[in-house]
Every structure is written in C-alpha cells, then in structure tokens.
Amino acid sequence: MPEFDTSHVKNIVLLGHAGSGKTTLAECMLFEAGVITRRGSIAEQNTTGDYHELEKERGNTIFSKLMHVKWRGYKINILDTPGYDDFVGEVISALRVADTGVMVLNAVMGVEVGTDIIWQYTEQFKTPMIFMVNKLDSDNADYEKTVREAKAHFGNKVTVIQYPRQTGAGFHEIIDVLTMTMYKFGKDGGKPEKHPIPDDEKARADELHKELVEAVAGNDESLMEKYFEKGELSEDELKAGLKKAMIQHDLFPLFCASAERNMGSGRLMGFIDNVCPSANEMPPQKTKSGALLQCDASGPACLFIYKTVSEPHVGELSFFKVYSGVVKAGMELENASTGITEKINQLFLVEGNKRISTHELVAGDIGATLKLKNTHTNNTLHAKGKNLELFPIEFPPPNVSVAIEPLKKGEEEKLSQALHHLREEDPTMIIEVSPELRQTLLHCQGDMHLTVAKWKIENNYKVDVKFTRPRIPYRETIRKAANASYRHKKQSGGAGQFGEVHLRIEPWYEGMPEPADLTVRSREEYDLDWGGKLVFYNCIVGGAIDTRFMPSILKGIMEKMQNGPLTGSYARDIRVCVYDGKMHPVDSNDISFKIAGLQAFRQAFQLADPQILEPVYKLEVLCPDDLTGSVMGDLQSRRAIVEGIDTDGHFQKVMAKVPLAEMDGYSSSLRSISQGRAKFRMTFYGYEPVPFEIQKKLIEEHAKQAKEEYA
Ligand SMILES: Nc1nc2c(ncn2[C@@H]2O[C@H](COP(=O)(O)OP(=O)(O)O)[C@@H](O)[C@H]2O)c(=O)[nH]1
Ligand SMILES: [Mg+2]
C-alpha cells in the first residue's frame, strides 16, 4: 500500500514575479515539515530549490524544481518555478501537473508584470489559485496596496483570508478571518501561538469574515440558503464552499507571510491539506481519442512526462505525474506516441537535487524515473493495450535567435550532440541547421535563456562556443521584364561545347495572363522550397533548340535562382520564357545549355530592375502604460512601422511590423528600457522590399565577400 492515497496527495506550484520569495517560501515549508533541519537562504546560496550552480551564481531560480513534504497526514508536492518570462516553459510544464497554484506577491512591489503574465497561463489551465502576500516584514511593505492591486488585476474573486496586524520590522501577527484566530510568531517564526482576535481588531476581522462568508455563499446556492437561515456558516461549510469555488476558479483566497522570517507557511500548508483539491477532485483528463480519464488509483496505469532533465553522469531523468492507476517499479508501460514499450526500472520521489527510491506512485502523485529508452517530455506512458494518450503541453515559440559555432574547429559533432540533449530537456528552444544561411541557429525565449544554453553547453558538454549574428535570409526578385541572350562556346581541342539561349524574364504574380506574343509549347510551374514561384515556358519555334535541352536550361536557371545574382540569396516569383537560341550539330550538349541558360538568366535579372526582399515580422510588445513612449521610440529606430496600440488587461500592447535585420539584441534592449517589465512576441509576416540604400550596401558587401572568397 502506498503511504498516501490519492486524496491525501496535493500538488502545488509556486508562481510569481522573480524575487517575490517563492524559493524562500518553499524552504520554509520543507523546514517546518522537518524535511530539512536548517533553513537555507538565497544569500547563502544553500536553498533546497536553487541548487543548480548557475542558480546559485545568479541568485534566482532558472529551472522548475520538485520537492515534497508530509504535513499532518498529507503529502504535498511542491513545484518551485522561475519568475522570468525567459523560462516560461518551466512554469507552463509545472502548471500542467499542479492542482493548485500559489501566486506569491511581493508586498513591497504589489502586482508586477511577471504576476500578470503568469496569471494568463493559470487562466488557460484554470488552476485553482491562492495568493500569498510575502515580504510583510519589509519596511516598505504595503499590504493594502497589494490587495487593492490584486483585486484590480484579478477581480473581486480575490478574497482575504488573512491580514497582518502590523507590517515592517514589527510584523509578527497574522489575523485569520477563516479560523477567526490571531497567529502570533516568536522572533524565529515557525509555529505560531494561537490567540483570540484582540478587541481592537475585532471590527475589521468581523467585516472581512463577513465578506469571506458572503463570497463563499455567493458561489453555492445551498450554502447561500444556510447563510440566510443562520446568518453564518460553520468552518467546515466554509472550507467545503471554498474548495468548490477554487476548483471552479471563482474564488482566490489570500494569505500573508514573511518567508524570510519563516512566518505563515504552516497555515498555508494546513489550508492546502484541508481545502485545496487533490488530483481526483479536479476535472478528469481528456485523452486524445476523446475519452475521459478519471484520476483513480484503481484505473489502468497512466503517466504523463512533463519535464526531462539531462544530468551529466546520471543520464536522462524524466519527471511525471501519474494520472491513473498505480505505477510500480519494474512495470512495463507503452509509450502512446511511439508504441514502444518502456520498462520503469526505478521510481523516485524528488527533493530538489536528491532522489529517494520508492516502489510505487499512486494516481495523482508526482515523481521521476531514470533512463527511459525513447520517451520524451509530453509523452504518455500507459498500461499495454490501452489508448490513453494525453494532450501535450503547448510551449510558446521562441523569440530570439543566434548562430552558434564551436570555438575550436573539429568540435562540430560534439556541439551538435550537446544541442540535441539541450533540446530534449527544453522544448521552448529550437535548433535549426540552416543550409541557406550556412549556420546552426539556436532559437530561444530571450537573452537569459541564451545565456543558460551557453552555460550548459560549456559546462555540461565541455564545448566552448561562440554566438554570432544569424545571417538574414534575404530573397531576390525583379520588378520589370527584360530580355537577354547568351552563347556558350568552347572549342579548344577534343569535343567542343556550344549552346545559345535567348530568354525573357518577368515578375511573376498570381493570375498572370499567358504570354500573348510568343508561341507557348509547354509550361512548368514550380513552388519553390524557400517560398514564391518559378514559372518556365518553352516558346521555341522552328526547332532552334531541341526539346531535349530544355531541362538543362531550366537546371541552369534553377541553380541561379538558388544563388541569386545580387547577394547569393534565393530568388523568387519569376517567369522565364525561352523563345530562341542556337545549336551546333556536334558540340551542343546538356552542360552547354545549362551554362547558357544560367548566364542568360543572370544577365536578364540584372536588367530587370532587381530588388532584394527582407523578412518582416509582426511584433507585439506588452508593457505598462508609462513605457509605451520609450518602447515606440526604440521601435522607430529599428525601421518599424507601428500599426497600433491596444489595451490588453492592465497593459498596453504595441503592434508593429519590423524587419528581422533590425531586431538583433531586441530582447536585451527591451529589458533595459523596461527593467524587465515588458515582454514581446514575434511572428513571421512576409517578405518586403529593402530600402534602396540598404540594397546598395548589401550588394557591395556581397561583392566584397565573394572577392575575398575567390582570392
Ligand atoms: N524581507 C524579506 N525578504 C524576502 C522574503 N522572502 C524572500 N526574500 C528575499 O527576496 C529575495 C528573492 O527571494 P527568492 O526566494 O529567491 O524569490 P523567488 O525569485 O520568488 O524564488 C531573496 O533575497 C530573499 O532572501 C521575505 O518574506 N521578506
Ligand atoms: Mg526562486
């Protein structure tokens, strides 16, 4: 029998803006529950949560962590998460498996951008939420303002359960309007004494208690009736009502703490045990095939991998939540995505960087296993013969890109393996080997994300790397029609070469009429891999060129399309009509016509008012009102076209179109403009002509480079 059944397991995720005190709060919970005997601190770099070298170095959380405590007959799995938007993938995957979120607010700062951004995800998941107003011991703590802002941002569903009797250095008493008790802490925090509510606080406590009761009753008809009858609800009725309202995302209870002084975490854990839902009280999971999977220990075994960590010397550690049945060590389960069978050799409970072997994990619980053969984040493993694939976590697309290369020649293969592992761990990162740009690109969420990637490659995989600017995937096209002809002739000993091609090129567009002045013999239309089209007409009359040479001419043209005449970029949207030429009875062959086709095309291209196109992105910047001006100013210096400003919740959303070439370093630049209070998303929009001056510069640069390569 497992030590805790499903209804005694609670999964919570600590959320909030960076620096609000999540990791410190987790440390308090572990300490209070006796998991650790000494409380670590961020300053001393010895918390259970921030154990990673890089986290110690930087003083904040980068990776989500799993910890657990036993508190009064319950097991609470605690997922600590990072606060920066760069690591939002870690937040989303933790939210996927948590059944309650604790949003930690910094009482000095109130509601911050990180709070708002993360809130949007909790709404997607409909995670039951608690607010924890932390840092009430700080001199500048402002409880009232924090509650006001929370209500302004997240609505009147925010319901006070606790308020501090005093804030700042003297903070040591919390008044609880659910239990109608005052908790009084000694100087080291920990377990508080319980006191009746002092007379001078009675009026306020009664008022807030009434608000709480009415909020709970307002969400449940039968409780409302009882409340009308008796004018009060019992503590048990309140708890039952709170649970129901929390599950429906109708009520968000608000608590008080000073994590630094270890005040407030015990009461939070008690509330989690007694009121917050277990996994089996949450709506069932929908499977991909449309079935509903109840979180029931007597059901078929089914687990979902929400996170993978690749550890040097250990291998791949897969974190999962059991969604049904009991998962036992030694069990064979089927990977729903690949159909392969995986044996679960070892099962672990996790405590930060420590793993504790266990024999089984029951539905609703969270744990880890090592060395699965071919199972990744977002995969479902289930009892053989079942069809229980769960929906994957949707991660946001990346925002910033760099080109990456090893510092030492010859380490390309080692780097490519490191990148493969990195991607395995982190689905918010994309690795692209671009033949077009002749670069390996690393696409990430932001500049801090890039820094972490570099650190991992250098420290875990021992490859020193450098980041460079990614080349821009320009395109080339033409703006008017032009004709050209080319004769390729070589008659120096042995077999000669001869081919002559006359052609016309025109800008191609959808719905273009057939050439009226030429005799069309055949037409071929190509959708180019890099976008746009090439349309190729054979308009030869009187057998000037044999039909058998047409494929060679096309091949020559295609070669030049792939290595455009202006800058070597791909060319697109061009129609070519070959209308005349010459053959030699002996010397004409495929290679001659390929060369003649290529050269005629190149010459015509130069005469056809050629134009370089650049990739343009749609950009959305989300920022507080007071920053709109500086965000727009910065965008204007990047050739952006601002298309509008919208209000989005408590933010302004600036929408613009901006050339990719101008977006280098945007992530850091926006961070410094906004001190981390803004975020942005970019999506590809299309190709647009570059301004004349820039075209000139690009052509010159290309010519210079070609000369250097040739020399
Ligand atoms: N004064 C005060 N400082 C706190 C409190 N909780 C956390 N801190 C400090 O705030 C900083 C950020 O805390 P941390 O736990 O890393 O925040 P996280 O980014 O949300 O995990 C650290 O220096 C903590 O020591 C608190 O209740 N009061
Ligand atoms: Mg942290």
Side-chain angles (χ1 to χ4, degrees), residues 17-24 42 59 61 134-135 137-138 258-260:
H17 193 88
S20 53
K22 301 175 287 296
T23 305
T24 312
I42 302 294
T61 311
N134 188 36
K135 300 201 176 181
D137 62 293
S138 297
S258 162
E260 193 77 3

Side-chain angles (χ1 to χ4, degrees), residues 416-456:
S416 116
Q417 275 174 15
L419 288 173
H420 177 79
H421 282 290
L422 230 59
R423 159 74 197 172
E424 190 73 2
E425 274 190 286
D426 184 351
T428 62
M429 169 185 294
I430 289 175
I431 288 133
E432 181 194 357
V433 179
S434 167
E436 173 183 6
L437 305 177
R438 287 167 281 122
Q439 287 177 319
T440 297
L441 301 181
L442 188 58
H443 305 286
C444 281
Q445 297 290 325
D447 54 346
M448 282 197 276
H449 196 201
L450 286 172
T451 309
V452 171
K454 188 160 191 274
W455 189 95
K456 282 194 195 168

Side-chain angles (χ1 to χ4, degrees), residues 34 51 110 112 118 120 131 186 235 244 263 317 323 482 632 641:
Y51 64 80
E112 299 171 85
I118 296 163
Q120 295 178 350
F131 284 97
E235 199 177 316
K244 190 173 154 211
M263 297 174 183
L317 192 59
Y323 276 100
M632 301 235 292
I641 297 168

Side-chain angles (χ1 to χ4, degrees), residues 201-242:
E201 294 292 345
K202 260 212 134 48
R204 185 177 178 196
D206 284 342
E207 179 63 32
L208 286 168
H209 178 77
K210 193 165 163 240
E211 272 177 33
L212 168 66
V213 174
E214 284 175 359
V216 172
N219 282 302
D220 185 306
E221 253 177 59
S222 71
L223 286 179
M224 187 57 110
E225 274 171 28
K226 277 192 190 146
Y227 177 55
F228 273 139
E229 257 169 49
K230 302 187 292 179
E232 176 57 305
L233 292 177
S234 69
E235 199 177 316
D236 284 341
E237 285 164 344
L238 277 176
K239 284 181 183 165
L242 273 168

